[in-house]
Amino acid sequence: MAENKKQEKDFTTDVDALILETDIIAKSGKLQDALDKLFFLEKQTRNAADLASTTRLVKTVVQYCYDARNYPLLNSSITILSKKHGQLKGAVQAIVELVMGWLTEVKNKDSTEQWLQLVETLRSVTEGKIFLETPRARVTLALSHYHESLAEASTTLGAAKESLQTASDLLSDLQVETYSSMERREKTEFILEQMRLLILVARQKDAESGKEGKDSIGGGEAEWVKVRVGGRKVNEDFLKQEENEVLYDFGHFCIITLIIRLSKDLKFKYYDLMIQHALQYSSYLDVAKYYYKVWETPSIKNDVNDKGRVALEHIVYYVILAPHNNEQSDMLHHLFVDPALTRLELHYNLAKCFVTRELMRWPGIEAIYGQFLRQTPVFSLDKRWEDLHTRVIEHNIRVVAEYYTRITLSRLTSLLDLSPKQTEETLCRLVVSGTIWARIDRPAGIVNFRSKRSAEDVMNDWSSDMQKLLGLVEKTWMGMNAALAAQSRVKA
């Protein structure tokens, strides 16, 4: 491409006259003769750096080819004009923008094959040109959606897999986050589309390999990693802007479904994709935090009877499913004191069970909440129901460790409603994770929840206690002296 240089001559008058002449020639059916005349003058205007005249001529060339519906000639003309020696960037941009405006009409009125050829021509012309990176991305997006539609319409698994992989690869090759000519919103839309297609491919590969979750090796693991990388490219502060929080009615939004492509609500689409990624690895705390971000949106939070209620319910579900740590405990306690939670009586009581330092008997929890929870999309999966059982057991062990210094293994087993083996396994897991301190004396059948203290620790505690005692004595002595002084003044 030629760099901007000073215009040497103005060919406006010559171009006006030539276009009038070539219009008559092209309409008479002599298309090639008209193009030859235009190509001849285009060379002169290009060498003279007359951008306005060159742009008019190249647009006229492709317009004649399109009006004649001569697609082979149209594709070859686009390629030739874009590769001319010293071709002006503005002229190439004008060609690409003009032809892109025809794509929908070509696909609807002519044939898909001709549309594909035209798209590939545009992708070839725009390849490697920074000033055409945005048009290339838009054309590639259209091609990606076409391959995705082929995957949806395919009747064979192999063809569907190949088409979906092609659609994902086409978009993944675009590094739109580096494009300076693309608006921030459009960049975000492209990144979310990349993530959505990657998730579709990952689920397909996981289903084929029969392996799911964080322990899977192979399958769609590579795609899931790319989804996480894509999520880090999106600025969450940008999503908080009001124009990106336009609510689209998904019905029960919080049930994970495929979201309509390029919908206006970027924030909800982003968090939906991130929730799917987090659920793949059973990262329940991340899921709760994503739902919390959604619930904080005014359009969701104010909808107390529908989407706001459903979002809040899911926050409760996933925060209690998350393994206990400081962050999980802090989020649970903040959620518990939120006035909005009191409107959901059952969920409030469920959260209260985990906040209160009292034992929860699993049979009781199952009897009170089981019928309702098992009907929800979250706990309809056996794995999450088992995870809830595990969280109840872990809560009970933390409570026992807080109130007991020593306890027999048989007594602990009865309190947890588990077998001795399950009790030991759960206890060991909490010790390894650093949640509690415990030692099991198997011959004696005793669990110690307090470590042996050294002489220095005992003396330090004794010294601290003595300081407190002396402080109380001094305070009492001073109070008595003040009272005696007051009495002596009264008697005097």
Side-chain angles (χ1 to χ4, degrees), residues 290-329:
Y290 294 141
Y291 273 120
Y292 195 85
K293 293 288 183 65
V294 172
W295 183 65
E296 285 182 321
T297 307
S299 57
I300 293 289
K301 198 168 188 177
N302 296 332
D303 189 4
V304 296
N305 296 322
D306 190 12
K307 296 178 178 63
R309 175 184 58 80
V310 176
L312 186 57
E313 290 175 357
H314 281 68
I315 297 171
V316 175
Y317 294 152
Y318 286 110
V319 77
I320 64 176
L321 279 174
H324 176 81
N325 55 37
N326 292 337
E327 188 177 10
Q328 184 269 351
S329 178

Side-chain angles (χ1 to χ4, degrees), residues 104 107 112 115-116 119-120 123 136-154 160 163-172 174 186 189-198 200 259-263 269:
T104 303
K107 190 175 184 179
T112 304
W115 177 83
L116 284 173
V119 166
E120 290 300 335
R123 279 172 45 81
R136 177 178 174 80
R138 292 168 180 165
V139 172
T140 304
L141 179 64
L143 183 60
S144 175
H145 286 167
Y146 167 75
H147 284 286
E148 184 183 3
S149 66
L150 290 182
E152 295 172 351
S154 178
S163 297
L164 190 60
Q165 184 68 58
T166 302
S168 178
D169 291 342
L170 284 169
L171 272 192
S172 296
L174 300 175
E186 190 173 4
E189 290 174 343
F190 270 93
I191 293 172
L192 295 182
E193 277 297 278
Q194 291 173 346
M195 293 169 61
R196 186 182 66 84
L197 288 173
L198 284 168
L200 291 179
I259 292 185
I260 296 177
R261 290 195 291 261
L262 296 179
S263 57
K269 183 173 182 179

Side-chain angles (χ1 to χ4, degrees), residues 94 115 185 256 261 280 297 357 407 440 485:
W115 177 83
R185 179 179 179 82
I256 304 303
R261 290 195 291 261
Q280 172 68 14
T297 307
R357 295 178 180 179
I407 188 172
I440 302 176

Side-chain angles (χ1 to χ4, degrees), residues 16 27 68 80 127 213 220 281 286 292 309 318 326 415 439:
D16 290 339
K27 290 177 181 178
I80 291 171
E127 185 176 7
Y281 294 92
D286 288 338
Y292 195 85
R309 175 184 58 80
Y318 286 110
N326 292 337
L415 291 176
R439 292 292 184 268

